[in-house]
Amino acid sequence: MRMINVAAAQMGPIQRAEGRDVVVRRMLALMDEAKAKGADLIVYPELALTTFFPRWYMENRADADGWFEREMPNDAVRPLFDRAARHEIAMSFGYAELTPDGHHFNTAILTDRTGNIVGKYRKIHLPGHAEFDPERTHQHLEKRYFEPGDLGFPVWRNLGGIMGMAVCNDRRWPETYRVMGLQGVEMVLIGYNTPSVNAQKGDEGPEKRLFHNRLSAQAGAYQNSCWVIAVAKAGDEDGHRLIGGSIIVNPDGEIVTEAKTEDDELLVHPCDLDATAFGKETIFNFAAHRRTEHYGLITSRTGAIPPT
Ligand code: CDT
């Protein structure tokens, strides 16, 4: 058995006016709890350091730059890196990244047990829109504030296993998991901020959104025989509610633990990476069963074109 004790650190809401210092203190408390419970790895959500700012329209995009981190680590998050190294816990969290040459990404990082960043992922599937949309009940301006990630879907060897990352909307796309699956991924770490109601369909509320969350993570885990750790930022941020429902999913696609609240809440589960082997060697033995000669449209065509 290759066990990793994983802590999924769901976070409750972060209000627009709250600073990173307050948030980092909450993250440290979750990390201390994770350490006390024997965790090897702690996974925080997408944009863990701030409110989900893409809901706020700013005419001048540069006015949003205050939500972005110009270096990682920086002074605000140094306590997290120091504490993780002291606890010998690997960690992953999401943040808005502003590069030295002026590019904006919705990013997640992964560290080893010493606090060294070993992996970086930049969100590829950006949902929402780029301009103010008066038809929506709330804005989702990720296409305004971020560029699509430019790093692909890499995986890394960490804690004796093969790990990958994805960010929120990525989890709804089978391509996300499959590209990592083709690199032998054993555990996929995913943070999310998902509004509780669809801004374009008022009757799609929290129950259905939680269902879609489970459906996506469970399918990704099963079809690639890997663990999926899906971690929410949840609750009411300045009157805008986000679903909770953080889950750890095993390589059979079964949920082994699920958050009950919309607050800071830690889920800890022992994940055996060797449990990924059976599926990878049998029904999802890609080398034996995939038929790439029939998959060309996946990469040659973006939108659906129905027959005439
Ligand atoms: N953060 C993020 O990607 N949220 C999206 C909301 C989709 S609605 C525009 C999600 O897929 O959960």
Side-chain angles (χ1 to χ4, degrees):
M1 293 210 283
R2 282 181 298 140
M3 301 302 294
I4 300 184
N5 222 13
V6 177
Q10 176 172 293
M11 294 175 68
I14 301 171
Q15 306 310 320
R16 188 176 185 175
E18 282 180 302
R20 289 166 178 72
D21 52 338
V22 179
V23 180
V24 167
R25 277 201 293 277
R26 283 169 50 190
M27 293 171 80
L28 288 170
L30 286 161
M31 192 185 287
D32 289 346
E33 185 183 342
K35 174 65 182 174
K37 291 180 172 162
D40 303 298
L41 167 68
I42 184 166
V43 184
Y44 298 101
E46 173 191 34
L47 298 177
L49 305 174
T50 65
T51 195
F52 187 72
F53 66 86
R55 72 169 65 89
W56 302 112
Y57 176 76
M58 279 161 259
E59 193 168 330
N60 180 359
R61 283 178 170 78
D63 289 345
D65 282 354
W67 301 111
F68 285 75
E69 315 302 317
R70 288 181 159 76
E71 47 183 357
M72 188 55 60
N74 56 29
D75 288 348
V77 299
R78 189 82 56 191
L80 279 175
F81 282 75
D82 291 346
R83 188 80 55 95
R86 179 148 62 80
H87 287 335
E88 299 184 345
I89 293 183
M91 99 182 139
S92 174
F93 65 83
Y95 64 99
E97 177 189 12
L98 176 50
T99 69
D101 55 348
H103 293 286
H104 297 76
F105 297 106
N106 188 341
T107 296
I109 47 136
L110 173 66
T111 75
D112 63 15
R113 286 186 190 274
T114 71
N116 278 326
I117 296 175
V118 294
K120 177 186 274 193
Y121 169 73
R122 291 171 171 157
K123 184 175 185 176
I124 285 175
H125 300 101
L126 296 174
H129 48 112
E131 300 301 330
F132 187 85
D133 181 356
E135 301 294 318
R136 294 179 187 240
T137 54
H138 52 266
Q139 304 298 298
H140 198 108
L141 291 152
E142 288 196 58
K143 288 192 194 293
R144 183 173 189 81
Y145 299 126
F146 301 117
E147 298 158 59
D150 59 354
L151 301 174
F153 293 103
V155 301
W156 303 272
R157 288 195 181 273
N158 198 23
L159 300 178
I162 303 175
M163 297 187 178
M165 292 184 282
V167 176
C168 196
N169 191 263
D170 288 319
R171 76 196 189 284
R172 305 184 191 278
W173 299 88
E175 295 87 345
T176 297
Y177 306 89
R178 182 51 48 94
V179 174
M180 290 189 264
L182 286 166
Q183 300 167 82
V185 77
E186 295 174 320
M187 183 176 284
V188 178
L189 316 177
I190 306 173
Y192 61 93
N193 285 251
T194 297
S196 297
V197 178
N198 187 326
Q200 296 166 294
K201 192 167 179 257
D203 63 353
E204 186 182 309
E207 288 312 314
K208 193 173 283 186
R209 294 222 133 183
L210 286 164
F211 166 68
H212 290 156
N213 181 55
R214 293 186 202 106
L215 183 68
S216 304
Q218 291 183 258
Y222 170 63
Q223 292 170 349
N224 296 278
S225 197
C226 63
W227 291 88
V228 171
I229 319 298
V231 186
K233 176 136 68 61
D236 186 327
E237 293 192 332
D238 297 287
H240 299 268
R241 200 169 149 213
L242 302 165
I243 61 165
S246 300
I247 42 178
I248 296 180
V249 184
N250 72 19
D252 278 322
E254 297 162 326
I255 294 171
V256 294
T257 177
E258 182 162 16
K260 295 176 182 59
T261 72
E262 292 183 351
D263 291 317
D264 292 3
E265 179 179 344
L266 199 75
L267 307 172
V268 182
H269 188 84
C271 302
D272 179 9
L273 298 178
D274 282 340
T276 64
F278 181 75
K280 288 183 188 298
E281 288 163 8
T282 56
I283 192 159
F284 295 118
N285 179 339
F286 294 160
H289 306 305
R290 292 182 79 244
R291 289 290 164 209
T292 53
E293 67 271 30
H294 298 296
Y295 302 161
L297 281 184
I298 297 282
T299 53
S300 66
R301 186 179 286 181
T302 305
I305 304 175
T308 49

